[in-house]
């Protein structure tokens, strides 16, 4: 039986030829990782400021690769947004784990400034955008976001994951169920090919794009064979992302990806194994053992699961030995029992003292 960890690309195949809907991510650095800086405040950037528009400027945090998205492209991006004067954050797609889909040329009015910035970016690029209120939420601000007052200039931290280059800018909402599943499957296949080449971050970029085609709102509407078709693409993408994240030592994120799959399929062996692996690396040995034991019940012949359980057992033994040595040092050596001979001498001595005391008392009473 093949190992659940070793088999990742079961549904993989060679990348398809470029079409109008092929994702453009040439050599792009993966855009998923959250920036290291304080996530509650706009990042401080020292790079040169580029003027994109009278009301839009950009400072690059991380360079991207490839070409920029042309008009009508469907862009996928993560961003955080603040009202500049108050530095109050009012939106964070990283935290929500939901990339934004933005069709250039068809964006909402309040996204005009953001769209101008995105159109100047390359796949994988991360930047800070300063947008004047005229190209944001305007004179009235935003009722849904109380932190966006009237005439509020905005600050965006944006990362362009990638884009679909489509001539007519067909958004996901305009696609049929079959078209969305097919588009997601293409991203998954491209991700598998990148994974085989050990391009882990680029592979994850493709998987995340695939998942973006099947958001919660979309999945909620599906049932029967269509839901099964969607899950047959969506779940492997989450599992493949988990495999990449484990290789990149990003264990918390890997746990999250596996947990998503387990909410749909609580007996998914790969999800249990990979979550157990990530938990084990984080030192969460009890939780890891639960995952591995459940996976072993479902796949008793899998050698990789047995190997991980042995590793945990060895870890427990080593930890016990270490704790034993520590406690021995704290409390010192156990007192050794006194020799039997000394104990009898002590008893004899106490008997003699008692005897003499009794004789002395007897004589004193007799003399009186």
């Amino acid at each position: 039986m093949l190992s659940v960890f070793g088999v990742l690309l079961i549904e993989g195949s060679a990348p398809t030829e470029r079409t109008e809907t092929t994702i453009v991510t040439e050599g792009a650095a993966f855009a998923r990782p959250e920036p290291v800086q304080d996530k509650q405040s706009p990042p401080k950037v020292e790079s040169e400021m580029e003027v994109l528009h009278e009301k839009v400027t950009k400072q690059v945090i991380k360079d991207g690769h490839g070409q920029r998205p042309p008009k009508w492209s469907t862009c996928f991006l993560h961003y955080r947004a603040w009202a500049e004067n108050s530095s109050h954050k009012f939106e964070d797609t990283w935290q929500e784990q939901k990339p934004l889909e933005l069709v250039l040329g068809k964006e909402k009015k309040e996204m005009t400034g953001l769209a101008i910035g995105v159109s100047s970016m390359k796949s994988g690029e991360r930047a800070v955008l300063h947008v004047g209120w005229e190209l944001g939420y305007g004179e009235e601000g935003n009722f849904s976001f109380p932190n966006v007052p009237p005439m509020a200039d905005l600050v965006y931290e944006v990362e362009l994951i990638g884009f679909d280059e489509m001539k007519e800018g067909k958004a996901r909402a305009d696609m049929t169920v079959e078209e969305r599943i097919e588009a997601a499957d293409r991203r998954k296949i491209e991700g598998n090919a990148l994974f085989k080449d050990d391009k882990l971050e680029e592979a994850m970029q493709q998987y995340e794009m695939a998942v973006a085609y099947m958001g919660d709102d979309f999945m909620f509407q599906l049932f029967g064979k269509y839901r099964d078709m969607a899950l047959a693409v969506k779940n492997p993408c989450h599992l493949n992302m988990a495999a990449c994240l484990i290789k990149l030592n990003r264990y918390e994120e890997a746990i999250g990806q596996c947990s998503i799959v387990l909410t749909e399929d609580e007996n998914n062996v790969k999800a249990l194994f990979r979550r157990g692996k990530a938990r084990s690396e984080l030192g969460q040995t009890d939780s890891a053992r639960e995952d591995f034991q459940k996976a072993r019940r479902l796949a008793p012949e899998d050698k990789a699961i047995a190997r991980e359980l042995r590793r945990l057992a060895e870890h427990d033994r080593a930890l016990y030995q270490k704790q034993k040595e520590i406690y021995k040092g704290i409390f010192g050596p156990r007192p050794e029992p006194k020799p039997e001979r000394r104990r009898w001498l002590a008893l004899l001595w106490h008997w003699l003292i008692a005897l003499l005391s009794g004789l002395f008392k007897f004589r004193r009473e007799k003399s009186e």
Side-chain angles (χ1 to χ4, degrees):
M1 180 175 178
L2 292 174
S3 163
V4 293
F5 191 64
V7 178
L8 170 64
L9 306 177
I10 297 175
E11 302 174 49
S13 63
T16 57
E17 294 182 4
R18 181 170 177 138
T19 66
E20 287 185 358
T21 57
T22 300
I23 197 71
V24 181
T25 57
E26 294 89 343
F30 177 58
R32 174 71 178 177
E34 295 192 21
V36 178
Q37 303 191 41
D38 177 15
K39 300 166 188 175
Q40 300 304 317
S41 304
K44 297 178 181 179
V45 187
E46 298 180 356
S47 61
E48 184 179 353
M49 184 172 289
E50 181 182 355
V51 178
L52 305 177
H53 181 278
E54 184 182 359
K55 297 295 180 179
V56 183
T57 61
K58 181 179 81 169
Q59 290 176 282
V60 175
I61 299 174
K62 182 186 72 175
D63 291 327
H65 302 275
Q67 55 185 293
R68 293 179 174 85
K71 192 174 183 179
W72 311 127
S73 296
T74 301
C75 300
F76 297 90
L77 55 128
H78 274 300
Y79 72 95
R80 296 188 179 96
W82 294 264
E84 187 164 22
N85 290 340
S86 62
S87 293
H88 284 155
K89 184 174 71 170
F90 62 88
E91 198 162 15
D92 188 340
T93 64
W94 273 294
Q95 185 175 357
E96 296 167 2
Q97 296 185 350
K98 291 182 180 180
L100 174 72
E101 176 191 356
L102 183 69
V103 179
L104 298 181
K106 291 188 176 182
E107 67 276 353
K108 297 178 181 178
K109 184 178 179 181
E110 61 267 22
M111 294 288 186
T112 303
L114 177 62
I116 291 172
V118 170
S119 66
S120 73
M121 300 173 69
K122 299 177 181 179
S123 297
E125 182 178 332
R126 187 164 71 235
V128 171
L129 303 176
H130 292 264
V131 177
W133 62 267
E134 297 89 344
L135 300 181
Y137 290 94
E139 294 186 36
E140 297 181 358
N142 190 291
F143 179 78
S144 300
F145 300 118
N147 288 335
V148 183
M151 302 177 66
D153 294 336
L154 306 175
V155 180
Y156 290 99
E157 180 181 4
V158 187
E159 189 150 22
L160 178 60
I161 301 172
F163 59 90
D164 276 338
E165 191 175 335
M166 298 183 183
K167 290 181 179 180
E168 297 181 0
K170 193 172 186 179
R172 287 175 295 177
D174 299 326
M175 294 180 176
T176 65
V177 172
E178 291 87 348
E179 285 175 334
R180 288 179 73 154
I181 294 174
E182 182 184 354
D185 194 47
R186 283 199 303 271
R187 307 296 174 266
K188 185 196 73 174
I189 292 170
E190 291 172 9
N192 291 350
L194 289 165
F195 184 90
K196 285 180 179 178
D197 292 336
D198 206 31
K199 296 178 180 178
L200 302 179
E201 294 182 338
E202 289 90 337
M204 289 177 63
Q205 192 176 35
Q206 296 290 344
Y207 296 139
E208 186 170 16
M209 297 263 255
V211 171
Y213 276 98
M214 294 175 288
D216 294 339
D217 55 340
F218 174 68
M219 296 297 297
F220 183 75
Q221 302 174 44
L222 301 182
F223 58 92
K225 72 171 185 177
Y226 287 113
R227 185 171 181 83
D228 292 340
M229 288 169 59
L231 288 175
V233 177
K234 184 174 183 287
N235 282 350
C237 287
H238 288 299
L239 291 172
N240 293 353
M241 277 196 278
C244 292
L245 289 163
I246 289 171
K247 285 194 170 188
L248 293 168
N249 301 328
R250 289 160 53 185
Y251 303 116
E252 291 284 0
E253 293 174 76
I255 290 171
Q257 295 296 330
C258 293
S259 296
I260 291 172
V261 176
L262 290 168
T263 58
E264 293 285 352
D265 179 8
E266 63 180 359
N267 293 325
N268 189 293
V269 177
K270 288 184 182 179
L272 288 166
F273 178 85
R274 290 174 188 168
R275 190 172 71 174
K277 181 76 174 176
R279 284 174 165 175
S280 177
E281 294 293 341
L282 289 173
Q284 301 172 6
T285 53
D286 290 340
S287 298
R289 187 178 292 104
E290 288 181 14
D291 283 338
F292 288 138
Q293 287 175 342
K294 184 172 182 179
R296 184 172 64 175
R297 288 195 295 271
L298 296 166
E301 301 300 322
D302 192 284
K303 295 181 180 179
I305 298 172
R307 183 168 59 248
E308 292 299 326
L309 283 169
R310 285 197 300 272
R311 279 185 57 198
L312 285 180
E314 291 169 3
H315 172 270
D316 288 345
R317 285 194 293 271
L319 182 63
Y320 171 76
Q321 194 63 35
K322 186 176 181 180
Q323 290 175 338
K324 186 177 178 182
E325 293 297 322
I326 291 172
Y327 292 139
K328 181 179 178 182
I330 292 175
F331 298 109
R334 293 179 60 185
E336 295 183 7
K338 294 180 179 180
E340 193 72 14
R341 184 168 173 270
R342 289 186 181 182
R343 192 178 70 170
W344 280 106
L345 286 174
L347 290 172
L348 179 62
W349 176 250
H350 285 297
W351 181 78
L352 287 172
I353 291 174
L355 179 64
L356 290 173
S357 176
L359 289 171
F360 179 75
K361 183 178 180 182
F362 174 75
R363 287 182 179 182
R364 187 173 62 179
E365 290 176 351
K366 189 175 179 181
S367 64
E368 291 176 352

